[in-house]
Every structure is written in C-alpha cells, then in structure tokens.
C-alpha cells in the first residue's frame, strides 16, 4: 500500500563525507569548512561532515579532527561522522561529534572490500560502537550497504535485509540508512522493499541513500518516499562514489531532490537560493562542472544571458 505524499521530507546531506571521499585531489580543509557552513546556511539540519578512518585507506578524510573542531555543534544542527571500528569511534567521540554512523553490508564480498571484515565481524563492531555511543550520549546510526544489490554478488534478497535490520536494532542502533551503494536499485524494487520495511519496523528509523549510477536515482527516491521513507540522503552537486566499488558514481544531487520534492508540494524546509549557492561553491572548489540537473540548467541559462 503506497503512502500519500503529504507532509515533509528531511534531507540529510552527505556530500562532505560520501561526496568528497572519492576525490583524488585533496580538498583543502578550509574549503570543506566553508562548504559545510554554506550548506548549514541553506537550512540543512543533518550533515555528515567527515569520517574517522585510516588516512591511508581514505586520504581525503585525514583532516577529520580539524573539520569537527572548526564547525562545533551549532544548536539545531547535527553534524555526524562515519566510523568503521572502535578506534575511529573513540577518536570521533573525543572530537566532539554528537552522532556516529557505522557501516554494515548486506554482502560478504563488499564487506571485506569496504571494511575488511566479514558481516558478522562488522555486526560485532556495531555492538561495541553502539555501546560507546550510549555511554557518551551520542546517537548511533548504521549505513546498511548494498541494500538493493552488490556489484560482486548481485541482487540482495529482501529477507537478507529484514534479518540484518532485526540484528542491528537488537544491538541498539537507532537509525538505519538503506544504501544503494552501487546504484543497482530500480523504482519497483525500492518501493517493494521499503514497503516491507515500514510494515515491519517504525518508519521514522530509516533514511534512503541512493546513487545515480544508471540514471534512476530520482525515480528510486520518489518510489521510496511513496512507500513511506521520509528522510533522503543526498550529496550537493551529485558528488560521490565508493572507493571500494568499481566504476562507482555519485549520489543523487541534493538540489535535484529538493527541486523535485518542492515542485510536488512536499516541503524540505530549505532555502533554494542558498542551496544553489552551495552547489556552485562546490563546483568552484573542485574546479569542474558537477553532474546535477539543476547546475547544468544554471550553466545553460547563464550562457544564454
């Protein structure tokens, strides 16, 4: 049963972490801070700003402590950090972040490539990190990777997803991001799985994290919202890609999602002009055209003036 499309959608911005982690050229710390502040000025209230991981594995995130220290924790805004083990969680907690995100994959192969652990080992780490978060008054969320398919193992069964969600919630995880890591999902699949999830679990525990690898990102987003998911993770400018997935491409673009939602009468609560300013800032920082439809349209209109 599809939900109606009344009400609001919360946009959770992941461009600073998931968007930038695949960039080969190191993005200056001051530019990351500037972009984070621009995104906050646009009204975004949940922003994933960095990850506490090995700088050898993900060099782009080597300035995590500096980023957190500079941004602080403004009232009404949640800046979160991704971690992959206890050491990363301890470093993130010491830095002052208020929300941790951990990764568990539906796929054994992807889990080994991404965090160098089996799925069971990753679940054990999730339990440890969840306990640490509780002890320190932090929120813990998990990115459930390869929810809609794995580039190494193929489609993910719905029962596999339901089983892992049961395990994660039993460990104390509070929020789960349903992540289409390689952009393998299609709208029908997203709608069916999300309907199954909200029938089994409280719908306010979930966000939808999609990649636009095959051009289906916005269609899958709408399918998920129609099925009852009301938190969408997106990346400014469509930045992104997993370093451990072959030919991975960007996330769905924040400005494209916001335009679609607002045109349909679904409020995101964001300032459109400030959001586009942030997207154009991201282009300037990276020194190249980004892939969002709204940025492409802006360039076309500027050429006609």
């Amino acid at each position: 049963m599809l939900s109606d499309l009344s009400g609001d959608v919360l946009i959770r911005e992941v461009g600073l972490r998931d968007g930038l982690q695949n960039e080969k050229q190191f993005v200056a710390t001051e530019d990351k801070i500037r972009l984070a502040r621009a995104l906050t000025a646009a009204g975004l209230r949940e922003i994933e700003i960095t990850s506490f991981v090995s700088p050898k594995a993900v060099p782009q995130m080597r300035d995590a402590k500096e980023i957190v220290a500079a941004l602080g924790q403004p009232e009404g805004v949640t800046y979160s950090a991704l971690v992959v083990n206890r050491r990363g969680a301890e470093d993130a907690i010491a830095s002052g972040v208020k929300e941790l995100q951990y990764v568990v994959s539906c796929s054994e192969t992807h889990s080994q490539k991404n965090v160098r652990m089996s799925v069971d080992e990753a679940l054990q780490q999730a339990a440890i990190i969840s306990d640490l978060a509780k002890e320190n008054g932090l929120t813990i969320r998990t990115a459930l990777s390869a929810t809609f398919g794995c580039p190494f193992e193929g489609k993910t069964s719905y029962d596999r997803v339901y089983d892992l969600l049961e395990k994660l919630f039993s460990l104390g995880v509070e929020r789960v991001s349903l992540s289409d890591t390689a952009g393998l999902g299609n709208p029908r699949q997203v709608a069916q799985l999300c309907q199954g999830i909200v029938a089994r679990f409280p719908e306010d525990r979930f966000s939808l994290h999609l990649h636009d690898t095959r051009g289906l990102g916005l269609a899958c987003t709408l399918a998920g919202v129609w099925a009852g998911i009301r938190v969408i993770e997106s990346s400014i400018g469509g930045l992104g890609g997993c370093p451990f997935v072959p030919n991975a491409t960007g996330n769905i673009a924040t400005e494209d999602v916001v335009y679609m939602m607002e045109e349909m009468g679904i409020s995101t609560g964001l300032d459109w002009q400030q959001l586009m300013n942030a997207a154009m800032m991201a282009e300037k920082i990276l020194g190249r055209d980004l892939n969002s439809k709204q940025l492409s349209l802006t360039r076309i209109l500027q050429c006609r003036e």
Side-chain angles (χ1 to χ4, degrees):
M1 182 92 181
L2 294 177
S3 70
D4 63 38
L5 290 178
S6 60
D8 303 340
V9 163
L10 175 67
I11 305 297
R12 185 171 184 269
E13 174 62 43
V14 300
L16 288 162
R17 197 279 303 174
D18 196 23
L20 294 181
Q21 69 177 2
N22 219 25
E23 292 292 319
K24 293 181 173 60
Q25 187 70 31
F26 183 74
V27 177
T29 302
E30 55 268 28
D31 284 334
K32 293 173 183 171
I33 294 166
R34 196 159 55 92
L35 183 56
R37 287 175 175 156
L39 291 165
T40 305
L44 287 151
R45 292 295 173 258
E46 293 193 9
I47 305 177
E48 197 171 296
I49 55 173
T50 192
S51 58
F52 285 80
V53 294
S54 166
K56 291 183 180 179
V58 189
Q60 191 63 247
M61 300 289 108
R62 66 178 186 249
D63 55 359
K65 291 180 181 179
E66 292 88 341
I67 297 289
V68 175
L71 292 174
Q73 290 292 335
E75 187 175 351
V77 181
T78 300
Y79 292 136
S80 66
L82 180 135
V83 299
V84 297
N85 52 35
R86 180 179 188 131
R87 179 179 175 180
E90 290 172 341
D91 288 345
I93 291 167
S95 77
V97 296
K98 300 303 180 186
E99 180 179 87
L100 301 181
Q101 174 156 294
Y102 182 68
V103 179
V104 173
S105 183
C106 294
S107 155
E108 289 290 347
T109 307
H110 178 261
S111 186
Q112 289 288 352
K113 289 180 179 292
N114 193 41
V115 295
R116 298 181 182 178
M117 287 181 265
S118 69
V119 173
D120 282 345
E121 289 169 336
L123 286 168
Q124 291 169 15
Q125 285 291 314
I128 292 169
I129 293 168
S130 182
D131 287 343
L132 278 173
K134 287 179 185 176
E135 290 169 13
N136 290 275
L138 276 66
T139 301
I140 179 69
R141 64 191 307 138
T142 296
L144 187 60
S145 298
T147 298
F148 301 98
C150 169
F152 311 105
E153 297 182 8
K155 291 292 184 184
T156 302
S157 75
Y158 296 176
D159 286 342
R160 171 69 164 168
V161 176
Y162 302 147
D163 177 60
L164 285 171
L165 290 175
E166 291 278 7
K167 290 177 179 176
L168 287 169
F169 290 135
S170 73
L171 297 175
V173 171
E174 296 166 78
R175 300 283 185 272
V176 175
S177 169
L178 305 169
S179 302
D180 190 10
T181 313
L184 293 172
N186 65 70
R188 183 174 186 176
Q189 176 193 18
V190 170
Q192 288 177 341
L193 181 54
C194 289
Q195 282 180 280
I197 286 169
V198 300
R200 289 167 172 79
F201 307 96
E203 63 185 49
D204 62 356
R205 287 187 163 202
F206 297 96
S207 57
L208 194 57
H209 179 114
L210 301 169
H211 286 242
D212 200 32
T213 311
R214 292 159 180 81
L216 296 179
L218 287 178
C220 288
T221 299
L222 181 56
V225 171
W226 225 321
I229 306 298
R230 291 306 173 95
V231 180
I232 302 299
E233 299 187 5
S234 57
S235 174
I236 197 71
L239 287 167
C242 177
F244 309 105
V245 172
N247 304 313
T249 57
N251 296 266
I252 51 174
T254 301
E255 57 272 26
D256 290 346
V257 175
V258 170
Y259 180 82
M260 179 176 73
M261 292 295 149
E262 295 286 351
E263 283 293 300
M264 295 176 67
I266 304 170
S267 175
T268 63
L270 300 182
D271 183 308
W272 177 251
Q273 190 53 58
Q274 293 275 33
L275 187 66
M276 287 305 297
N277 289 345
M280 289 184 282
M281 178 187 292
E283 280 198 325
K284 289 179 182 177
I285 287 171
L286 294 173
R288 67 174 192 273
D289 291 347
L290 299 182
N291 293 326
S292 84
K293 303 295 187 295
Q294 300 307 312
L295 281 172
S296 296
L297 177 61
T298 298
R299 288 192 293 272
I300 291 169
L301 294 176
Q302 288 174 342
C303 288
R304 290 177 179 176
E305 290 177 356

